[in-house]
Amino acid sequence: MAAVQSGMGEGVEEKDIKTEPASDGFGNNNANDGRLVSTSPGSNAPAASNKPVAGGPPEDQQTLLAVLQFLRKNKLTESVEILRREAGLPEDDLDPNGADSSGAGTGGAAGSVDSDAGDASSLLTRVTVSSSAAAQAPTKAAAGEDQPDVSVVLSAYSQQGDPALYEVYYSSLKRFIETVLDCHRAELSQVFYPLFVHMYLELVYNNHENEAKAFFEKFSGDQECYYEDDLRVLSSLTKKEHMRGNETLLDFRTSKFVLRISRDSYQLLKRHLQERQNNQIWNIIQEHLYIDIFDGMPRSKSQIDAMSGSLAGEAKREANKAKVYYGLLKEPEIELPLDDEDEEAENEEGKPKKKKPKKDSMGSKSKKQDPNAPSQSRIPLPELKDSDKLDKIMYMKEATKRIRLGPDNLPSICFYSFLNAYQGLTAVDFTDDSSLIAGGFADSTVRVWSVTPKKLRKVKSAADLNLIDKESDDVLERIMDEKTASESKILYGHSGPVYGISFSPDRNYLLSSSEDGTVRLWSLQTFTCLVGYKGHNYPVWDTHFSPHGYYFVSGGHDRVARLWATDHYQPLRMFSGHLADITCTRFHPNSNYLATGSSDRTIRLWDVLNGNCVRIFTGHKGPIHALAFSPNGKFLASGATDGRVLLWDIGHGLMVGELKGHTDTIYSLRFSRDGEILASGSMDNTVRLWDAMKAFDDLETDDFTAATGHIHLQDNSQELLLGTYLTKSTPVIHLHFTRRNLLLAAGAYNP
């Protein structure tokens, strides 16, 4: 659980970023489209001569003109004459104001040098775009480079037109979009927000404070409500000095805002901008937007709203095309010995016949190899120890007694309230067998409780262990020191609030992540810290053990998730791509993938094997704080500050459901052991139960839907809601289904 604090330092992640200098609209969409060669609206600069350099393309002429202009500015007249003669350029080509894009034929709408941006350095910036970059479509993202220098990032805003005309441009586009056919209006309205942001930043960067303020006040109210927080940050950037080192600005500038638009709508927009010669807006679309064009019918307002809301727009369709092996690994063959009670029950009532299908239908522990499962050796997993095999047997025995849940058979809920938790409870976790509960606190401690009559004991000292008969059957019991038995233990070591905790599957270890930037591994045999993993430079909001143990993931304010192994000091993988804090992490049931939720309002699925991002899910309107995979590995549920639970089909990479009902941040999500019920816990002091089987059974994920992303979400939250359970005054920060499907919930009482 991470109440993400802003301003925790300027964490800048290592991600692929496009850093080429801005052009004033060299890019084009289709090579055979009509081309517009004109000066920018509001610019008095005459068009340059169109004579090409002898034997060279138009781009070469532009570069030469820029160099000549630079030499002339520095009064190097002899060099100017020599270069001019060798290039065969006439005198009139050296007019400082005549350096418009004579190579405009390479662009869909070539921009011109504005009257107030005719200096040589500005021109040099404009002509250094390579001809290949100039000819590429705006829907083609450039390959990323290293983290850009802030000054390079900001220089994109140095070319601008008449500041007084910004309102005119924006109003003109707004009027046009409001008058187009309804089927296109919803799609084209998506461009309002990114255009508004970049036009405002351009005005601020070029010191037009009054115009920027007027522009913001006039149009900020038109933006979608889910951008309120971003606009609040933007409104504080009123001077050029404010922009340097600002993370939010770097996000807006370095990540192309992705819009998914049908081809018909896109052509409509392009034609309008070219007819109006509105280069200022066209340049921003070319430079800062990635338009993902699809063939087919335009999407409706509800379809667009369902997918929009993230910091960088929607996910590109290509981002969700990679093959994901979401199936479960084959379980090891372990014979289940029958107890006397079981044999009697079998003889008397013949129940196992009913129990066997129940065990298979769990989906979580199948004996057959799933066709969608990764190979057993795809990633190295730890071998089962004897103690693990015993635990598996215990699990299988419990599973035979599991209650089959459904709409007519809801689980009982046991709530653990932390009373007088003045230390500030920030995270909770239960062991898989529900025998231990741990809490992370704001006073930097971790506390562990036993929730069974069995007390917590430490291992005896080395001297005492030497006296024990190691061959005895009860050696595991003998090594424990009865003098240390107590119901709870406190673990000291962190130097800041503990925001995430996770038990290992074998209950021998506990992970904790903290504001101090470390993840600590604690032994539950000695209740001491074994390792402090240092890799994050800022607070670590969450950590989670792999279902198979050994591996774990951490994520925090530095926007990079890290994969660790318990026996390595350094991370094995670093997952970079989020544009804001990583607030929650979760392993897939087969341990080959992990999901991260972020304050950038996206969820990413990462491949543990190669570190690739294989899915990007957008649709939440606030930071994501809860993730849960279904037991069969096919679906993912996510919860956020917007109070909505979204359901995702991992195989197709699509949103398949939306559950509305909570009125505050959702902090925990859990599927029942057989996947039929989804439980959600929220800061609104409620636990809600949803019919997951019905939500997933009604799906229609045909090829067309997967190809275009045209999802039709049914507004059936009330039909799927099975029950709402209110606490007196306790926010629900953790949920856990026991092996028999009893639901455990936890939170700190808030008087």
Side-chain angles (χ1 to χ4, degrees):
M1 143 156 186
V4 177
Q5 303 166 8
S6 60
M8 274 296 181
E10 297 164 7
V12 181
E13 81 290 26
E14 305 148 19
K15 62 178 185 290
D16 288 343
I17 289 166
K18 179 182 176 187
T19 59
E20 78 272 17
S23 71
D24 232 18
F26 282 128
N28 72 332
N29 183 49
N30 291 319
N32 58 355
D33 285 344
R35 289 165 186 155
L36 178 70
V37 184
S38 77
T39 54
S40 298
S43 169
N44 301 318
S49 161
N50 264 343
K51 292 178 190 172
V53 180
E59 288 82 28
D60 289 352
Q61 184 186 5
Q62 285 182 292
T63 309
L64 271 171
L65 287 172
V67 172
L68 286 165
Q69 223 176 299
F70 177 76
L71 294 171
R72 174 167 284 187
K73 186 180 175 186
N74 288 281
K75 299 188 171 56
L76 300 169
T77 48
E78 286 184 30
S79 303
V80 170
E81 283 302 311
I82 294 167
L83 185 58
R84 185 184 63 75
R85 279 198 305 273
E86 288 191 5
L89 287 170
E91 285 280 355
D92 58 354
D93 267 9
L94 302 188
D95 179 1
N97 292 322
D100 197 355
S101 299
S102 54
T106 57
S112 62
V113 177
D114 303 315
S115 54
D116 56 350
D119 65 296
S121 60
S122 168
L123 186 61
L124 276 168
T125 307
R126 299 158 66 91
V127 299
T128 47
V129 179
S130 67
S131 56
S132 61
Q136 76 178 4
T139 54
K140 184 80 177 166
E145 295 169 12
D146 290 338
Q147 180 70 34
D149 181 60
V150 175
S151 58
V152 176
V153 166
L154 296 181
S155 68
Y157 296 121
S158 62
Q159 293 90 45
Q160 36 63 263
D162 183 346
L165 290 175
Y166 275 54
E167 285 191 24
V168 177
Y169 297 153
Y170 194 88
S171 299
S172 161
L173 181 67
K174 192 177 165 196
R175 280 195 302 275
F176 163 70
I177 289 176
E178 283 169 354
T179 56
V180 298
L181 292 172
D182 288 354
C183 62
H184 298 296
R185 190 182 309 147
E187 283 199 328
L188 293 180
S189 296
Q190 296 178 82
V191 303
F192 283 144
Y193 173 68
L195 279 179
F196 169 80
V197 170
H198 289 295
M199 291 175 87
Y200 174 76
L201 290 174
E202 244 175 47
L203 287 169
V204 172
Y205 182 79
N206 291 285
N207 295 315
H208 304 302
E209 288 179 34
N210 293 333
E211 288 90 342
K213 187 177 179 186
F215 183 80
F216 191 91
E217 287 174 355
K218 184 169 183 180
F219 299 114
S220 61
D222 299 342
Q223 310 308 321
E224 296 284 0
C225 57
Y226 39 79
Y227 293 122
E228 271 179 19
D229 290 342
D230 296 340
L231 292 174
R232 202 174 300 120
V233 173
L234 202 62
S235 66
S236 66
L237 300 172
T238 55
K239 289 182 165 42
K240 186 174 178 177
E241 299 75 57
H242 298 166
M243 297 171 75
R244 298 193 178 279
N246 185 289
E247 290 180 22
T248 307
L249 171 65
L250 284 169
D251 293 339
F252 282 133
R253 167 66 191 97
T254 56
S255 57
K256 283 201 165 193
F257 197 94
V258 180
L259 304 176
R260 198 178 292 175
I261 294 180
S262 66
R263 191 171 297 281
D264 292 347
S265 299
Y266 176 72
Q267 295 294 355
L268 206 62
L269 173 68
K270 189 177 174 189
R271 202 175 307 122
H272 167 77
L273 292 175
Q274 290 184 349
E275 284 170 3
R276 295 297 173 96
Q277 302 184 5
N278 198 338
N279 290 354
Q280 202 63 43
I281 284 180
W282 184 245
N283 294 341
I284 290 176
I285 289 175
Q286 301 284 76
E287 179 65 22
H288 299 293
L289 273 59
Y290 178 105
I291 298 182
D292 193 358
I293 301 173
F294 64 87
D295 294 304
M297 288 288 292
R299 294 185 298 167
S300 67
K301 178 85 170 83
S302 62
Q303 287 174 325
I304 291 166
D305 280 348
M307 303 298 289
S308 57
S310 92
L311 209 56
E314 292 187 46
K316 302 168 191 172
R317 281 173 300 155
E318 285 71 36
N320 293 334
K321 293 273 178 71
K323 167 78 173 165
V324 173
Y325 299 99
Y326 57 80
L328 302 176
L329 297 174
K330 190 177 177 185
E331 284 296 309
E333 296 291 332
I334 298 175
E335 289 300 318
L336 176 59
L338 286 175
D339 292 342
D340 295 340
E341 296 172 20
D342 294 333
E343 284 171 2
E344 286 170 22
E346 186 182 352
N347 294 336
E348 289 172 19
E349 302 168 33
K351 282 183 183 174
K353 283 184 182 176
K354 291 181 184 175
K355 287 177 185 170
K356 276 179 186 171
K358 184 195 296 184
K359 211 159 68 178
D360 289 343
S361 68
M362 284 186 286
S364 58
K365 305 290 169 192
S366 65
K367 291 284 185 210
K368 292 178 184 173
Q369 180 68 35
D370 189 324
N372 293 306
S375 66
Q376 295 287 118
S377 57
R378 188 170 184 267
I379 61 168
L381 293 170
E383 289 185 15
L384 285 183
K385 303 189 292 286
D386 289 344
S387 57
D388 296 328
K389 290 177 181 173
L390 287 171
D391 196 52
K392 291 269 182 205
I393 290 170
M394 283 301 297
Y395 178 90
M396 290 157 77
K397 284 182 180 176
E398 293 280 307
T400 61
K401 299 171 185 175
R402 181 178 301 161
I403 296 166
R404 185 69 177 269
L405 301 178
D408 304 321
N409 193 17
L410 298 181
S412 300
I413 305 177
C414 174
F415 201 102
Y416 289 88
S417 292
F418 288 74
L419 301 175
N420 307 317
Y422 304 122
Q423 304 91 346
L425 180 71
T426 47
V428 177
D429 194 28
F430 288 91
T431 52
D432 184 66
D433 69 350
S434 315
S435 62
L436 301 176
I437 180 173
F441 292 86
D443 68 354
S444 76
T445 61
V446 177
R447 294 160 192 255
V448 184
W449 286 267
S450 169
V451 291
T452 64
K454 197 174 176 182
K455 294 192 173 180
L456 301 176
R457 299 165 298 171
K458 291 183 183 178
V459 173
K460 289 178 179 174
S461 66
D464 291 339
L465 288 175
N466 284 332
L467 305 174
I468 293 174
D469 177 10
K470 297 178 181 59
E471 302 302 319
S472 61
D473 293 339
D474 60 347
V475 65
L476 292 176
E477 195 63 30
R478 289 190 184 192
I479 62 174
M480 307 312 289
D481 188 352
E482 289 299 330
K483 296 180 199 142
T484 60
S486 62
E487 288 180 357
S488 69
K489 300 283 184 189
I490 303 179
L491 309 176
Y492 298 100
H494 283 295
S495 58
V498 177
Y499 287 115
I501 51 175
S502 177
F503 281 107
S504 65
D506 62 5
R507 302 182 302 287
N508 286 329
Y509 304 105
L510 173 67
L511 282 171
S512 60
S513 63
S514 165
E515 187 185 60
D516 63 17
T518 66
V519 180
R520 287 180 179 267
L521 182 73
W522 307 86
S523 165
L524 297 179
Q525 306 293 333
T526 60
F527 295 97
T528 55
C529 180
L530 300 177
V531 196
Y533 300 96
K534 295 175 182 176
H536 294 273
N537 295 321
Y538 296 99
V540 187
W541 300 129
D542 197 22
T543 186
H544 184 236
F545 249 118
S546 151
H548 293 86
Y550 185 61
Y551 300 110
F552 64 93
V553 60
S554 62
H557 181 60
D558 62 7
R559 313 169 177 196
V560 179
R562 287 169 167 81
L563 175 76
W564 310 77
T566 49
D567 58 0
H568 285 65
Y569 285 106
Q570 299 296 326
L572 306 179
R573 294 278 183 279
M574 294 172 69
F575 306 104
S576 169
H578 280 295
L579 300 176
D581 301 39
I582 292 174
T583 45
C584 54
T585 57
R586 184 70 40 189
F587 261 96
H588 188 276
N590 67 21
S591 294
N592 278 253
Y593 300 92
L594 57 90
T596 54
S598 168
S599 295
D600 67 9
R601 308 188 281 280
T602 67
I603 299 145
R604 287 175 179 252
L605 188 72
W606 307 89
D607 189 336
V608 166
L609 179 67
N610 50 33
N612 292 342
C613 178
V614 291
R615 292 286 181 271
I616 303 176
F617 296 131
T618 64
H620 276 295
K621 311 299 186 263
I624 291 143
H625 285 285
L627 294 169
F629 285 98
S630 61
N632 62 10
K634 195 175 180 184
F635 301 104
L636 174 68
S638 59
T641 56
D642 56 12
R644 295 152 69 235
V645 177
L646 298 183
L647 306 174
W648 310 90
D649 181 324
I650 295 168
H652 291 91
L654 290 173
M655 183 196 300
V656 292
E658 178 184 25
L659 306 176
K660 293 185 280 193
H662 284 291
T663 56
D664 206 338
T665 303
I666 295 165
Y667 261 112
S668 187
L669 290 167
R670 280 296 180 277
F671 283 92
S672 61
R673 295 282 176 155
D674 45 21
E676 297 194 342
I677 302 284
L678 173 64
S680 58
S682 166
M683 299 299 278
D684 63 8
N685 303 341
T686 65
V687 175
R688 291 174 189 258
L689 300 178
W690 310 88
D691 189 342
M693 287 298 281
K694 185 175 182 187
F696 296 138
D697 282 351
D698 299 344
L699 295 184
E700 295 176 17
T701 48
D702 54 33
D703 292 338
F704 174 75
T705 308
T708 61
H710 283 55
I711 51 165
H712 297 276
L713 291 181
Q714 298 172 301
D715 191 9
N716 58 350
S717 294
Q718 290 310 307
E719 295 172 34
L720 299 174
L721 182 62
L722 302 177
T724 302
Y725 305 91
L726 193 66
T727 65
K728 184 180 178 185
S729 183
T730 306
V732 184
I733 65 169
H734 190 73
L735 295 168
H736 173 77
F737 276 95
T738 69
R739 291 173 174 179
R740 297 193 189 186
N741 268 340
L742 168 69
L743 179 56
L744 308 181
Y749 179 66
N750 193 10

